[in-house]
Amino acid sequence: MARSNIGALLKHFDLPSSEAGASADGLESYNPADGSLLSRVHTSGAAGYNTVMSQAVAAARAWADVPAPQRGDLVRQVGDALRQHKRELAELIALENGKIIAEGLGEVQEMIDMADLAIGQSRMLYGRSMHSERSQHRMYEQWHPLGVVGVITAFNFPVAVWSWNALLAAVCGNATVWKPSPKTPLCALAVQQLCDRVLRCHGAPAIFQLLIDRGAELGARLAADRRVNLLSFTGSTAVGRQIAQTVATRLGRSLLELGGNNAIIVDETADLDLAARAIVFGALGTAGQRCTSTRRVLVHRSQLTELQRRLVHAYRQVRIGDPLDPTTLVGPLIDLDAVRAFERGIASAQAAGGQLLVGGKTLTRAGHFVEPAIVLARNDWDIVQHETFGPILYLIAVDSIDEAIRLQNESAYGLSSGLFTQRLQHAEQYLSHQGSDCGIANVNIGTSGAEIGGAFGGEKDTGGGREAGSDAWKTYMRRQTNTVNWSSALPLAQGIEFDIAP
Ligand code: NAD
C-alpha cells in the first residue's frame, strides 16, 4: 500500500497528533481505508462558539470597509497558499475522507479555481442603473456585504464546498464561520491554518473562522443565531429541511445544497463509448459519495444489452483499495454507517426484484470497502428513489426519450442530469422547459464533475441553492435600491398628487 506519512502531514499543517491528550469533549479522526486513528482534535464547545461569533461579527464590520479589489487580493493569497500546499492538502483529504488522490488533487484545484474566480468577481460586483420615471432623478441599485455567513459542510467535499462559499463571501465583504463535518475535521483545520497564515501576513481582520463540533449542536446554533446573516448548508435533505425551518423562523436567509438522485439518459443514438465512460466515472467517483453521483441510468431498450456488458466489464476491472495508491480508482466509504447503508440498499433492491449484475459485497479487509454494484431495476421502486450514499447504480430500461425524461423527473430531487444522444431533437427537448427539471442538465457529459464557472445547485428536494460561478455571488450580498432627486421639486412616483402646504 502507498503510505503517506501522517505524522509529517499533521506537522506540515500544525495539527495535533493522535498521541495528543484527548479531552473529554475531543473529536477523533479516523482513516477510512484502515480504521486507524489519525488524530484527536479539540472541539469548540459553547464558550468557543461565543468567541468565534464575536470575532466574526467584528471582523465582518472591519472587512466591509476594505475596498472589494483589495479583498480580492487577500483571496489571491489564499489561492497562492493552496497552490503551494496542494499536494499535502490532497493527501490529507485522501487519508481522512478516503477519496482517491487524483480526486483529492482535483478538490484542491477546485478551491484554487474558485479563488481565481472570486478575485475577478471582486472587481465585478455590479449593480444596475435604471431610468427613473421622474425627471432629474437617478435610480440605481448597489450591493452591500451581508455580515456573517455561516457555512455548514458535508464530509464528501471536505474543503471545496467551503471555498465555494468562503472565497466569494470574502470578496463580497463578509466574514465566514465554518462548521465542517465531524468526519473530516483535519482537512478543515489544515485549511484554517493556511488561512490564518495569510490573514496574519496580510494584517487582515479574522474573516475566516472555524467551529469544530462532534455532533449537531453548533450547527443548530448557527442556524438559530440572528447574527448569521446567511446560512449556507450542504448536506442531506433531512438535515437541510430542519436547518431551513430554523432559519426561516427568524426570517433569515439560507442557501441549501442538499441530496440528489441523478440520472443519465442513454438514448437509441447514443455513443456508448462516451456514455459508458461517463457513467463509470459518475457512479464510482468518490466511491459513489458525491451529491452529483450517477445513481440511475435510463437506457433505451435497444442499447441495454451492450451498455450493460460494457459497464459490467469496466466494474470488474476497477481497482479498489488505498486512496493514496495512484492505480486505485475506488477508495473506501467514509465509515461503517455508510457500509451498512450500502448493504441495506443492495438488500432492498434485491428484495424489490432487482437483479444484481456485478459487485454488492462488503470486503472483509480492514477499512470500509465495498464492491460497487450495478442492479437491473425499475424506477418506481422505493429504494431506487432513495439516495443511498454509496456506489449502487440502477440500470433501468426505457422505450422512448419522453419516458426517460418523465422517469428522470419523477425523482424528488433535482440536482444533476445528463443525456447521451446524437440526435439534435432529443438534446434540445431535454434542455427545454419540457426536459430535465434539474439545476444541472448536460448533453454528452455525465452528472458529476461540474466546472465552477457555472452556478451549482439543484431544484426540489435538492434545496434550490446556487453556489460558485455565474451570479451566485449575489447571494452573499444585500441589494439596495437608491433613488436620488437632484431637482428642486418633489414629484411622487405613479404621478400621485399629494399637495399639502407645510
Ligand atoms: P449530513 O446531512 O449528515 O451532514 C452535513 C452537515 O450537517 C455536517 O457538518 C453535520 O455535522 C451537520 N449536521 C448534522 N445534523 C445537523 C443538525 N441537526 N443541525 C445542524 N447541522 C447538522 O450529510 P453528510 O452525510 O455529511 O453528507 C452527505 C449528504 O450531503 C448527501 O445527501 C449529499 O447528497 C449531500 N451533499 C450535497 C451537496 C450539494 O452541493 N448539493 C454537496 C455535498 C453533499
Side-chain angles (χ1 to χ4, degrees), residues 152-156 179-182 215-216 219-220 233-236 239 242-243 257-260 291 387 389 415 456:
I152 300 177
T153 54
F155 77 86
N156 64 326
K179 209 297 290 171
S181 166
F233 174 83
T234 301
S236 59
V239 176
Q242 290 174 37
I243 296 268
E257 298 280 355
L258 312 179
C291 50
E387 182 197 41
F389 215 55
L415 181 50
F456 179 91

Side-chain angles (χ1 to χ4, degrees), residues 102-378:
E103 290 185 276
L105 288 163
E107 176 154 2
V108 184
Q109 186 57 47
E110 195 167 321
M111 301 172 84
I112 294 167
D113 295 344
M114 205 50 226
D116 287 350
L117 182 133
I119 297 162
Q121 196 67 65
S122 72
R123 292 182 183 266
M124 296 187 293
L125 303 175
Y126 299 137
R128 297 172 185 218
S129 68
M130 302 86 182
H131 285 260
S132 170
E133 62 189 59
R134 290 168 279 184
S135 92
Q136 298 185 339
H137 281 58
R138 184 162 70 86
M139 186 159 67
Y140 66 104
E141 68 184 15
Q142 50 178 338
W143 295 85
H144 294 308
L146 281 177
V148 174
V149 177
V151 179
I152 300 177
T153 54
F155 77 86
N156 64 326
F157 276 94
V159 289
V161 170
W162 167 84
S163 74
W164 294 359
N165 287 279
L167 300 182
L168 269 190
V171 298
C172 291
N174 306 295
T176 303
V177 177
W178 181 17
K179 209 297 290 171
S181 166
K183 296 173 187 176
T184 51
L186 295 177
C187 294
L189 283 161
V191 169
Q192 184 66 32
Q193 291 287 356
L194 295 181
C195 288
D196 285 347
R197 287 178 208 168
V198 171
L199 290 171
R200 269 198 306 273
C201 199
H202 207 269
I207 57 162
F208 300 120
Q209 297 280 339
L210 181 66
L211 291 168
I212 297 289
D213 194 12
R214 265 196 308 203
E217 196 193 325
L218 297 189
R221 276 189 75 170
L222 273 179
D225 196 326
R226 293 183 71 88
R227 292 171 294 181
V228 176
N229 303 90
L230 168 70
L231 187 72
S232 170
F233 174 83
T234 301
S236 59
T237 297
V239 176
R241 218 182 280 283
Q242 290 174 37
I243 296 268
Q245 284 169 8
T246 306
V247 177
T249 304
R250 61 176 173 90
L251 299 182
R253 295 183 190 198
S254 53
L255 191 177
L256 303 172
E257 298 280 355
L258 312 179
N261 188 359
N262 316 293
I264 287 180
I265 297 174
V266 179
D267 80 359
E268 59 274 38
T269 69
D271 177 337
L272 290 190
D273 280 345
L274 296 189
R277 289 220 305 273
I279 293 165
V280 169
F281 174 66
L284 299 185
T286 320
Q289 300 171 111
R290 286 187 180 215
C291 50
T292 52
S293 289
T294 308
R295 309 209 177 278
R296 296 177 292 152
V297 171
L298 300 159
V299 53
H300 192 271
R301 213 172 286 282
S302 63
Q303 301 256 48
L304 175 65
T305 309
E306 178 56 16
L307 183 65
Q308 179 177 320
R309 188 191 68 72
R310 290 179 189 224
L311 292 177
V312 169
H313 177 74
Y315 268 54
R316 291 210 170 109
Q317 316 298 310
V318 157
R319 284 177 75 102
I320 305 169
D322 180 3
L324 285 159
D325 180 337
T327 64
T328 298
L329 287 181
V330 175
L333 297 184
I334 187 69
D335 57 17
L336 195 56
D337 285 349
V339 174
R340 296 288 171 253
F342 172 85
E343 290 168 345
R344 282 196 302 276
I346 296 289
S348 302
Q350 287 185 301
Q355 185 189 341
L356 190 60
L357 299 175
V358 66
K361 290 196 189 69
T362 300
L363 299 185
T364 50
R365 65 174 88 150
H368 309 302
F369 291 96
V370 298
E371 280 179 355
I374 303 178
V375 180
L376 211 48
R378 282 180 47 133

Side-chain angles (χ1 to χ4, degrees), residues 76-87:
R76 183 181 58 73
Q77 294 185 41
V78 172
D80 287 348
L82 289 166
R83 280 185 175 88
Q84 212 180 328
H85 301 276
K86 179 175 174 180
R87 179 78 207 180

Side-chain angles (χ1 to χ4, degrees), residues 20 32 55 396:
Q55 285 174 353
I396 299 157

